[in-house]
């Protein structure tokens, strides 16, 4: 039976280059028979993590907002594709707040020793990171990559592959680069 691949779009631009790459990756996963879905972080109504350890004794965050639905989607996905641009050498603020709100997975896994993701599910989960950067400079992806690896670890979805595209200030429109769209599609097929 085919699994479920969840896309997490971290770009504040709802129709930008990052979304186009994520759509190609999800199409690749869908073409393997997987069902797909997307969380558009910029459209969610949620507050930043309060870091008050409220989720220490609960299976979910006590803050009632759109994150409650996101937790279920993250927990149930067989694989996850995170797609984001680099902003100020790291993850955009909205996406970082979203990731921080996944503290419920951290508390379940490391504090209560009762992970939200089952051992069977952990065996099949894989994470794909798609990231673009405007500049073509060394280390432009370092911060975003480290943050995403930590996030994937917390949600029990091992970081397996990446597609990192720099120099978007020169490329400007990803649809002119079929090689990069094809690379996203192939990585999506592999994760599916």
């Amino acid at each position: 039976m085919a699994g479920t691949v969840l896309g997490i779009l971290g770009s504040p631009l709802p129709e930008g280059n990052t979304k186009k790459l994520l759509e190609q990756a999800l199409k690749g996963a869908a073409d393997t028979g997987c069902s797909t879905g997307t969380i558009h972080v910029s459209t969610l109504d949620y507050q930043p993590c309060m870091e008050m350890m409220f989720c220490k004794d609960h299976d979910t965050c006590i803050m009632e907002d759109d994150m409650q639905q996101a937790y279920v989607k993250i927990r149930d996905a067989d694989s996850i594709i995170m797609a984001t641009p680099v902003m100020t050498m790291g993850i955009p603020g909205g996406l970082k707040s979203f990731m921080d709100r996944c503290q419920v997975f951290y508390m379940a896994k490391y504090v209560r020793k009762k992970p939200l993701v089952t051992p069977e599910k952990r065996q099949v989960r894989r994470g794909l990171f798609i990231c673009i950067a405007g500049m073509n400079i060394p280390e432009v992806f370092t911060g975003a990559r480290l943050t995403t690896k930590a996030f994937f670890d917390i949600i029990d979805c091992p970081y397996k592959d990446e597609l990192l595209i720099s120099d978007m200030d020169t490329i400007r429109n990803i649809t002119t680069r079929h090689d990069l769209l094809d690379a996203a599609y192939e990585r999506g097929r592999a994760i599916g």
Side-chain angles (χ1 to χ4, degrees):
M1 184 170 97
T4 301
V5 178
L6 176 65
I8 299 176
L9 180 61
S11 175
L13 298 175
E15 299 297 327
N17 290 316
T18 306
K19 182 182 181 193
K20 291 171 183 149
L21 288 163
L22 177 59
E23 287 174 337
Q24 282 299 108
L26 290 171
K27 183 177 183 323
D31 286 351
T32 69
C34 291
S35 60
T36 63
T38 305
I39 294 174
H40 298 263
V41 173
S42 66
T43 66
L44 298 179
D45 182 16
Y46 67 99
Q47 296 298 311
C49 183
M50 299 302 292
E51 295 190 74
M52 298 299 291
M53 305 289 277
F54 290 130
C55 55
K56 180 178 80 169
D57 300 318
H58 303 281
D59 287 341
T60 191
C61 182
I62 65 167
M63 296 167 64
E64 290 289 332
D65 54 24
D66 288 350
M67 288 302 296
Q68 302 303 322
Q69 296 170 8
Y71 297 143
V72 173
K73 291 176 182 178
I74 292 168
R75 181 197 68 209
D76 293 346
D78 293 303
S79 292
I80 295 175
I81 303 171
M82 173 82 69
T84 185
V86 167
M87 296 180 80
T88 321
M89 298 299 284
I91 296 290
L95 177 58
K96 183 62 170 74
S97 287
F98 174 90
M99 295 163 104
D100 290 346
R101 280 292 301 278
C102 288
Q103 185 81 349
V104 296
F105 288 88
Y106 179 91
M107 297 305 263
K109 182 177 177 180
Y110 294 111
V111 177
R112 292 194 316 274
K113 308 293 187 203
K114 296 178 183 176
L116 299 180
V117 178
T118 66
E120 299 79 27
K121 181 72 78 175
R122 284 197 305 266
Q123 294 296 318
V124 300
R125 281 166 70 101
R126 295 180 308 247
L128 168 61
F129 181 45
I130 297 174
C131 192
I132 64 173
M135 298 182 288
N136 188 16
I137 59 173
E139 309 301 323
V140 71
F141 296 109
T142 301
R145 182 189 285 139
L146 289 172
T147 301
T148 302
K149 284 182 177 182
F151 173 71
F152 279 155
D153 179 64
I154 288 167
I155 62 169
D156 283 318
C157 188
Y159 190 109
K160 291 295 183 184
D161 199 4
E162 62 187 26
L163 176 60
L164 309 176
I165 303 168
S166 61
D167 205 23
M168 285 301 299
D169 287 346
T170 301
I171 297 170
R172 310 213 25 96
N173 182 352
I174 201 70
T175 62
T176 66
R177 293 291 305 272
H178 296 286
D179 59 324
L180 298 175
L181 292 170
D182 290 346
Y185 176 86
E186 289 304 324
R187 282 175 173 80
R189 277 187 64 83
I191 210 88

